[in-house]
């Protein structure tokens, strides 16, 4: 079965600490990879995405992620977190169907990040 | 820029009632997706439509139905509501002509509470 695994369910950091959230997926073939953030009570917002090309992608708010195809991983990083980064982070994968292009997003279980001031 | 619009934003229903959620995709987007996010859960794919035809189906209960209309908006109809249907329902839209990226843009969600 297709799946997305996020290794850390809860992460607590102090401000200015570095962040790395792990994400692994189990699809073969062409995939699109995403990280979404969900602030408390709010909707999903796209942080960054990978479709092709440079495996190191930069997103909004200082986040970046690296796609390592051989490891089926797409880890999210930020060098220095802020209190305002407190949120839930979801890794998501979609598989490209060449004929139709229709693709649902499969989400990981999410990581709740708490940044203490 | 225009975003995905969902209505209503909040909905409270009683058990066994029906509910209709609406989604208006970004203009010129031809594909709509519905996701359900239970409390403390990750979003789960329900169903998607492309050019008014169902394109994919996920874990959508038989009590739910959905369709996409000629103006590309979509409605999710939920009948015989159960307490477990309480969740945040997201709609997303994408364009099949967007250079092959098919990036999904999410709406703000409808929070359904079943009492």
């Amino acid at each position: 079965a297709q799946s997305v695994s996020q290794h850390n369910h809860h992460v607590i950091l102090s401000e200015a600490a570095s962040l790395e959230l792990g994400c692994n997926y189990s699809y073969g073939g062409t995939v699109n990879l995403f990280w979404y953030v969900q602030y408390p009570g709010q909707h999903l917002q796209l942080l960054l995405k990978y479709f092709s090309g440079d495996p190191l992608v930069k997103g909004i708010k200082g986040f970046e992620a690296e796609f390592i195809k051989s490891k089926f991983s797409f880890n999210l990083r930020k060098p220095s977190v802020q209190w305002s980064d407190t949120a839930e982070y979801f890794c998501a994968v979609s598989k490209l169907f060449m004929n139709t292009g229709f693709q649902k997003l499969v989400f990981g279980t999410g990581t709740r990040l708490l940044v203490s001031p | 820029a225009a975003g995905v619009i969902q209505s209503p934003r909040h909905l409270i229903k009683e058990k066994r009632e029906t509910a209709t959620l609406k989604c208006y995709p970004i203009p010129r987007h031809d594909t709509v997706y519905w996701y359900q996010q239970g409390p403390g859960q990750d979003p789960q794919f329900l169903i998607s439509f492309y050019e008014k035809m169902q394109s994919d189906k996920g874990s959508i209960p038989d009590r739910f139905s959905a369709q996409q209309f000629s103006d590309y908006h979509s409605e999710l109809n939920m009948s015989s509501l159960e307490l477990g249907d309480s969740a945040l329902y997201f709609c997303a839209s994408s364009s099949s002509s967007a250079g092959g990226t098919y990036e999904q843009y999410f709406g703000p969600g409808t929070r359904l509470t079943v009492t």
Side-chain angles (χ1 to χ4, degrees):
Chain A
Q2 303 164 340
S3 69
V4 180
S5 300
Q6 290 184 240
H7 315 301
N8 313 98
H9 297 294
H10 294 90
V11 173
I12 301 174
L13 294 173
S14 299
E15 275 195 316
S18 64
L19 170 72
E20 179 159 3
L21 302 181
C23 173
N24 287 90
Y25 62 95
S26 63
Y27 298 82
T30 302
V31 294
N32 293 344
L33 299 158
F34 306 84
W35 275 98
Y36 285 89
V37 61
Q38 188 175 32
Y39 298 101
Q42 297 192 23
H43 65 288
L44 292 163
Q45 299 177 40
L46 182 66
L47 271 181
L48 46 78
K49 59 185 184 248
Y50 173 81
F51 293 140
S52 62
D54 189 343
L56 184 61
V57 293
K58 294 190 183 298
I60 61 171
K61 305 186 181 187
F63 286 91
E64 65 178 32
E66 184 175 13
F67 169 53
I68 303 179
K69 189 174 182 179
S70 61
K71 295 184 178 180
F72 295 89
S73 70
F74 190 56
N75 293 352
L76 180 70
R77 298 193 292 251
K78 186 171 184 178
S80 176
V81 296
Q82 301 172 315
W83 175 79
S84 57
D85 292 325
T86 295
E88 186 153 19
Y89 293 81
F90 291 96
C91 179
V93 178
S94 62
K95 188 172 172 60
L96 180 64
F97 295 93
M98 296 308 296
N99 292 334
T100 62
F102 315 130
Q103 47 186 355
K104 62 190 177 191
L105 285 171
V106 178
F107 288 86
T109 51
T111 297
R112 288 183 185 269
L113 172 65
L114 174 63
V115 180
S116 57
Chain B
V4 177
I5 297 172
Q6 290 187 247
S7 68
R9 295 291 307 278
H10 300 272
L11 189 58
I12 300 174
K13 291 285 186 178
E14 295 186 355
K15 283 196 309 183
R16 292 179 289 278
E17 286 192 319
T18 62
T20 297
L21 278 53
K22 298 185 178 182
C23 170
Y24 298 86
I26 291 172
R28 291 180 294 281
H29 279 196
D30 49 20
T31 308
V32 169
Y33 310 79
W34 286 96
Y35 295 86
Q36 177 192 55
Q37 185 179 27
Q41 304 293 315
D42 56 292
Q44 294 289 321
F45 171 73
L46 291 178
I47 196 167
S48 62
F49 292 88
Y50 167 69
E51 286 291 346
K52 291 147 281 185
M53 298 288 289
Q54 180 181 310
S55 54
D56 198 0
K57 191 173 181 180
S59 50
I60 182 170
D62 292 340
R63 299 177 289 108
F64 294 5
S65 64
Q67 57 182 324
Q68 185 180 31
F69 295 86
S70 57
D71 63 351
Y72 295 100
H73 94 272
S74 177
E75 295 184 3
L76 178 66
N77 298 292
M78 311 159 72
S79 62
S80 303
L81 286 169
E82 301 174 357
L83 295 178
D85 296 328
S86 295
L88 193 55
Y89 290 84
F90 289 110
C91 171
S93 72
S94 69
S95 169
S96 62
S97 60
T101 59
Y102 310 103
E103 179 179 341
Q104 293 181 29
Y105 295 81
F106 281 82
T110 294
R111 186 169 296 280
L112 172 66
T113 303
V114 181
T115 62

